[in-house]
């Protein structure tokens, strides 16, 4: 794959993401790097993107989710797989219709005024426009999707697949139409499946209403959380085991206000401990009451219109909003003496997952899918290990839901979506057909007189087909043959029921196998206070703004580093500064290596193992250990752990130690040739390891590094290879020895820094070791770390004495002494330390008082409190260090 002229790297002392990212991404996509051919000989590795809703804008949840997918797909592309990442978007039925209807209201009209055809056309135009904007945002993130295969759940191919599935399941007897209690959203005016209902806790009341026994002065009191629904009561019920009420079973009470006679029945569902032990039965407005009604042959009286107002069955309350009706009804009950009392009550109520208004249990004729049969192979897939969740504890969540699955309400009273492929004759005869039935399909009827069902299908009815419909099903396409099943699904826990489980069921029903073998569940993005980010709370961070400010690589690596595997990340704007600093660190160390190469061809292949000094061997050992660790993390789907391992290797081992160790003592002196070769080789391996995480900066550096190498100048990191470790350089004993040297260097640097020793001044170093072998190790390698600690002469041994006027530090296996005579002015240093100590003590008193203030703790944001706690710890640690240094100086 060759580079084009406009993708040539432009060397600069500072890394400019804005200039680099657009240029490189344009080259990648124009070169067709991300299009996977179905006839390619390599093994496939495929992922289908969880299609973002067209109503969405890119948020940090998308950024995290798609970064993880891109890391996986890029890594396996580098491993030599035919890597296919299929992008797309979801038409988002309810959400999209709500947006467009609000637009119409602002224009002074409604969907019913403009008609179904124009409304659908307008909605489609808006959805397609928004889809392109969202997919453009994914491109800005560097997502290496196969854009040639972009799909949309409402496009022609997928729409046909939806109709095929409906027809298949109907013919199999798994789709039926019936009157059932459904979750009804009065705002969106549509039914919802159980999994589209979010439960929220509300402060409410229990109203105790008195029902008069017919022909008696006695009353039975009922506790209810929804008093307005009593207008649809058709019975009272008691437990057959409740001795208090046995004598009332079979008798009749008078329904308050409406004065309708209703029976008293005994039913085992009733909990004698709830309220008074007597419950009202409203079969049309409660799923449990619906079942009681069926057992006792009770009528079903619906008191609500589809918009949540009370209908003609509510008598004098007809036309009132449900909550206004509730208030007036309660007042009338109180006036009539039929309201015994009102108690405060914590109520968990279902709300619409889109508009967040309280939903109503509502008796309605809807279409349903029988799920229990479909669930059986999906349950077995998990139990047999064919389907795996990462982290594994989500398996229990999946299994619990699948084993207690209920029928799925799939019809929605909307216009935007896949219209139900059912056609009706005037006499009620029904035909299920993908298109308008032909004369052969509806014998005895004129096809042109048939009318199609007005409802559309649940959005998830198209989404559950996504892993195979996107590759051309029901046709047997080469893409379907090559890329199904996919390898992994990356998603959040909120849609395990709504989407993940249903896709598994659909996979087995229509393809005979699961759509993926692994499900990677990542955390939910939260703000610095641990609160879930949301548009309504205004606590979100726009990832596009992060990209503009810091670059896509900074966004990507920051998100992965900040997301502990299996846990929720807490993100603030400062989070992305760490990623930016890391990107810049990698760019700057790469420039250092390339400047030392000075135009020479870099050594990126085999190294001269016979000419390796100890630090060369150490960095190669650390490299191979890192490769093995990262490889394990990928296998275990622990990408945050992989990122942290790489971060530490690059920043600490390579930049802070190895590069510093190979720098010559004398300015202008050349770096030892084979060490420079090692540094270049390791840099190349770092670029490959980091490429899936930070694709832009690694590609830019690689193009600069190989520009002088004719054999490699046309290469790209896109196709790897990903580094592999043969283990030949791994030397655990060597790493342990170097760890000891590093501890000495760190201790000496710390002493010099804390006592304000000028960096250019050298001193002798005395090390009292516990074992002679440690001293010998230091003496043998002093030439390699002399410049790091500014050592003139090294004195090692088990009997080394502490020199006068010296500072000390204790490490594992040794005590270190740094003579300071002539390095610092003792009296000046005493005054400086004392001044710093006094200032820190003042600051510590202030922050301690603040943290002891109950008002501050009660009212300040969590992140502010945490910052103050961190300040306090920092002041305490710095005071301790200064006291230690003062003790040493005063002891002289």
């Amino acid at each position: 794959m060759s580079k084009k002229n406009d993708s040539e790297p432009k060397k600069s002392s500072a890394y400019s993401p804005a200039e680099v990212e657009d240029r490189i991404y344009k080259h990648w996509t124009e070169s067709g790097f991300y299009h996977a051919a179905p006839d390619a000989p390599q093994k496939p590795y495929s992922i289908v993107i969880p299609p973002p809703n067209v109503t969405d804008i890119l948020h940090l949840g998308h950024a995290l989710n798609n970064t993880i997918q891109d890391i996986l797909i890029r890594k396996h592309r580098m491993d030599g797989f035919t890597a296919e990442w299929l992008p797309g978007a979801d038409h988002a039925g309810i959400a999209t219709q709500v947006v467009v209807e609000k637009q119409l209201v602002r224009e002074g009209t409604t969907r019913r005024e403009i008609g179904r055809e124009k409304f659908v056309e307008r909605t489609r135009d808006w959805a397609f426009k928004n889809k392109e904007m969202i997919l453009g945002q994914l491109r800005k993130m560097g997502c290496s999707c196969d854009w040639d295969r972009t799909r949309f759940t409402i496009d022609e191919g997928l729409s046909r697949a939806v109709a095929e599935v409906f027809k298949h399941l109907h013919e199999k007897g798994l789709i039926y139409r019936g009157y059932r209690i459904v979750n009804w959203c009065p705002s969106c005016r549509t039914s919802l499946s159980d999994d589209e209902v979010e439960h929220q806790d509300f402060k409410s009341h229990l109203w105790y209403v008195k029902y008069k026994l017919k022909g008696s002065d006695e009353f039975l009191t009922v506790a209810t959380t929804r008093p307005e629904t009593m207008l649809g009561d058709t019975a009272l019920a008691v437990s057959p085991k409740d001795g208090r009420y046995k004598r009332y079973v079979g008798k009749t009470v008078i329904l308050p206000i409406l004065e309708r006679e209703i029976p008293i029945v005994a039913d085992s569902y009733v909990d004698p401990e709830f309220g008074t032990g007597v419950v009202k039965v409203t079969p049309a407005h409660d799923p449990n009451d619906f079942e009681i009604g069926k057992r006792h042959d009770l009528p079903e009286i619906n008191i609500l219109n589809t918009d949540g107002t009370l209908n003609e069955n509510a008598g004098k309350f007809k036309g009132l909003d449900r909550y206004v009706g509730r208030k007036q009804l309660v007042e009338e009950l109180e006036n009539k003496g039929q309201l015994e009392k009102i108690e405060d009550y914590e109520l968990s109520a279902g709300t619409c997952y889109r508009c967040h208004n309280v939903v109503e249990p509502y008796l309605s004729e809807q279409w349903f899918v029988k799920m229990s049969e479909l669930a059986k192979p999906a349950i077995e897939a998990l139990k047999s290990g064919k389907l795996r969740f990462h982290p594994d504890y989500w398996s229990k969540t999946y299994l619990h839901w699948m084993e207690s699955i209920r029928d799925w309400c799939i019809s929605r009273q909307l216009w935007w979506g896949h219209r139900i492929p059912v056609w009706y004759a005037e006499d009620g005869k029904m035909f299920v057909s993908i298109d308008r039935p032909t004369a052969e399909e509806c014998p005895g009827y004129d096809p042109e007189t048939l009318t199609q069902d007005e409802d559309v299908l649940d959005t998830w009815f198209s989404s559950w087909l996504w892993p195979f419909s996107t590759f051309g099903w029901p046709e047997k396409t080469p893409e379907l043959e090559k890329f199904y099943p996919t390898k992994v699904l990356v998603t959040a826990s909120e849609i395990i029921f709504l989407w993940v489980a249903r896709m598994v069921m659909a996979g087995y029903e229509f393809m005979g196998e699961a759509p993926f073998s692994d499900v990677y569940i990542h955390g939910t993005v939260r703000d610095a206070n641990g609160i879930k980010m949301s548009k309504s709370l205004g606590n979100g961070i726009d990832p596009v703004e992060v990209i503009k400010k810091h670059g896509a690589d900074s966004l990507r690596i920051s998100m992965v580093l900040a997301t502990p595997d299996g846990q929720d990340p807490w993100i603030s704007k400062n989070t992305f500064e760490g990623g930016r600093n890391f990107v810049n660190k990698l760019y700057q160390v790469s420039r250092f290596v390339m400047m030392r190469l000075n135009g020479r061809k870099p050594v990126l292949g085999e190294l001269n193992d016979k000419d390796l000094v100890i630090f060369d061997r150490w960095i190669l050992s650390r490299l191979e250990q890192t490769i093995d660790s990262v490889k394990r993390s990928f296998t275990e789907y622990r990408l945050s752990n992989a990122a942290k391992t790489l971060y530490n290797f690059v920043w600490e081992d390579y930049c802070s130690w190895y590069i510093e160790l190979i720098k010559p003592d004398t300015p202008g002196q050349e770096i030892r040739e084979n060490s420079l070769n090692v540094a270049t080789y390791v840099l190349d391996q770092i670029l490959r390891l980091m490429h899936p995480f930070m694709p832009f900066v690694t590609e830019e550096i690689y193009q600069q590094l190989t520009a002088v190498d004719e054999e490699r100048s046309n290469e790209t990191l896109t196709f790897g290879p990903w580094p592999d470790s043969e283990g030949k350089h791994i030397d655990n004993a060597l790493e342990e020895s170097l760890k000891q040297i590093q501890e000495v260097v760190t201790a000496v640097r710390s002493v010099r820094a804390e006592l304000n020793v000028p960096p250019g001044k050298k001193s002798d170093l005395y090390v009292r070791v516990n074992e002679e072998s440690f001293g010998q190790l230091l003496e043998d390698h002093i030439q390699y770390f002399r410049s790091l600690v500014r050592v003139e002469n090294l004195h090692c041994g088990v009997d080394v004495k502490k020199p006068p006027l010296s500072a000390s530090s204790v490490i594992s296996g040794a005590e270190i002494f740094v003579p300071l005579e002539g390095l610092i002015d003792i009296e000046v240093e005493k005054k400086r330390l004392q001044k710093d100590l006094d200032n820190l003590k003042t600051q510590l008193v202030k922050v301690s008082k603040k943290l002891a203030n109950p008002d501050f703790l009660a009212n300040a944001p969590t992140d502010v409190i945490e910052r103050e706690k961190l300040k306090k710890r920092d002041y305490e640690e710095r005071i301790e260090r200064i006291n230690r240094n003062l003790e040493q100086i005063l002891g002289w």
Side-chain angles (χ1 to χ4, degrees), residues 13 101 117 202 229 294 299 337 417 424 494 509 518 536 561 603 639 671 691 717 775 781 788 805 808 862 871:
S13 59
E101 285 203 64
E117 186 176 342
F202 295 92
T229 61
K294 290 296 182 188
Y424 303 97
E494 299 96 293
E509 178 66 19
D518 295 272
S536 60
L561 287 170
V603 176
L639 297 197
I671 293 176
H691 183 67
L717 290 177
H781 299 98
L788 296 183
L805 297 178
S808 65
T862 306
K871 281 184 189 177

Side-chain angles (χ1 to χ4, degrees), residues 183-432:
N183 305 294
W184 185 267
C185 177
S187 298
C188 299
R189 297 198 194 185
T190 184
S191 59
L192 303 171
S193 70
D194 291 340
D195 308 302
E196 293 172 312
V197 175
E198 298 175 343
H199 286 271
Q200 295 183 23
D201 292 331
F202 295 92
K203 289 184 178 180
S204 185
H205 300 94
L206 268 179
W207 288 268
Y208 287 78
V209 182
K210 296 160 68 175
Y211 290 66
K212 189 176 185 297
L213 273 109
K214 181 181 178 182
S216 169
D217 292 332
E218 286 188 81
F219 289 86
L220 290 181
T221 301
V222 173
T224 178
T225 58
R226 297 158 66 215
E228 69 281 4
T229 61
M230 65 177 286
L231 300 171
D233 286 357
T234 56
L236 296 186
V238 298
S239 170
K241 297 179 181 179
D242 193 337
R244 295 174 295 173
Y245 301 113
K246 277 188 177 181
R247 63 192 179 93
Y248 296 111
V249 175
K251 294 185 177 183
T252 301
V253 294
I254 307 300
L255 179 66
I257 300 177
L258 293 184
E259 302 295 321
R260 186 169 65 239
E261 295 183 9
I262 58 176
I264 302 170
V265 300
D267 195 277
S268 58
Y269 168 76
V270 180
D271 178 6
E273 302 299 319
F274 177 77
T276 63
V278 183
V279 300
K280 56 192 284 302
V281 182
T282 319
H285 293 287
D286 184 276
N288 297 307
D289 291 5
F290 179 80
E291 297 301 328
I292 294 174
K294 290 296 182 188
R295 289 193 288 271
H296 298 278
D297 197 25
L298 300 173
E300 297 151 350
I301 301 175
N302 180 6
I303 63 155
L304 289 175
N305 296 311
T306 58
D307 63 355
T309 58
L310 298 171
N311 64 22
E312 64 278 1
N313 292 325
K316 66 176 73 175
F317 304 105
K318 176 185 175 182
L320 296 177
D321 174 79
R322 52 182 167 163
Y323 297 122
V324 175
R326 173 185 293 181
K327 182 180 179 182
Q328 291 189 14
L329 181 141
V330 168
E331 288 175 354
E332 185 160 343
L333 287 172
E334 197 164 22
N335 293 336
K336 287 178 175 288
Q338 289 185 280
L339 186 64
E340 186 173 292
K341 61 178 177 177
I342 303 174
E343 290 181 349
D344 290 337
Y345 188 72
E346 290 286 335
L347 175 68
S348 177
T351 61
C352 174
Y353 80 117
R354 278 301 169 191
C355 69
H356 306 296
N357 288 311
V358 174
V359 301
E360 288 287 343
Y362 188 79
L363 183 62
S364 177
E365 188 177 32
Q366 302 287 344
W367 288 95
F368 297 86
V369 179
K370 295 178 181 178
M371 301 298 284
S372 56
E373 183 178 332
L374 294 172
K376 289 176 183 176
I379 291 171
E380 181 56 31
L382 184 75
K383 290 183 175 180
S384 66
K386 293 179 181 177
L387 179 68
R388 298 174 293 273
F389 278 80
H390 309 276
D392 181 62
Y393 55 74
W394 289 112
S395 300
K396 295 179 181 177
T397 304
Y398 169 91
L399 199 59
H400 173 75
W401 184 77
M402 293 293 273
E403 291 180 336
S404 56
I405 198 167
R406 292 191 284 183
D407 288 358
W408 174 16
C409 177
I410 56 170
S411 47
R412 298 290 180 271
Q413 288 63 54
L414 304 170
W415 285 356
W416 174 244
H418 299 99
R419 199 161 173 181
I420 292 176
V422 174
W423 308 77
Y424 303 97
E426 290 181 1
D427 62 4
K429 178 72 173 176
M430 182 180 75
F431 303 93
V432 178

Side-chain angles (χ1 to χ4, degrees), residues 600-659:
R600 297 202 306 272
K601 179 180 176 181
V603 176
L604 304 180
E606 288 294 318
L607 291 167
N608 180 4
D609 285 353
K610 295 180 180 179
D611 186 24
L612 300 175
V613 295
I614 184 172
F615 293 109
D616 299 332
R617 290 188 288 117
W618 171 77
I619 194 64
L620 292 173
S621 179
R622 291 295 307 123
L623 171 65
E624 294 195 2
Q625 297 270 29
T626 298
I627 292 171
D628 287 346
S629 175
V630 171
K631 187 176 181 180
R632 283 193 301 273
S633 294
F634 267 100
T635 302
E636 297 166 359
Y637 290 96
R638 298 173 62 222
L639 297 197
S640 181
N641 189 66
K644 288 172 183 173
T645 300
L646 289 171
Y647 180 95
N648 290 334
F649 174 74
V650 174
W651 196 294
E652 298 298 332
D653 295 344
Y654 186 70
C655 296
S656 296
W657 287 104
Y658 183 68
I659 293 298

Side-chain angles (χ1 to χ4, degrees), residues 71 259 437 478 515 559 838 855 869:
I71 289 169
E259 302 295 321
M559 290 300 299
D838 293 340
D855 290 337
K869 288 181 178 179

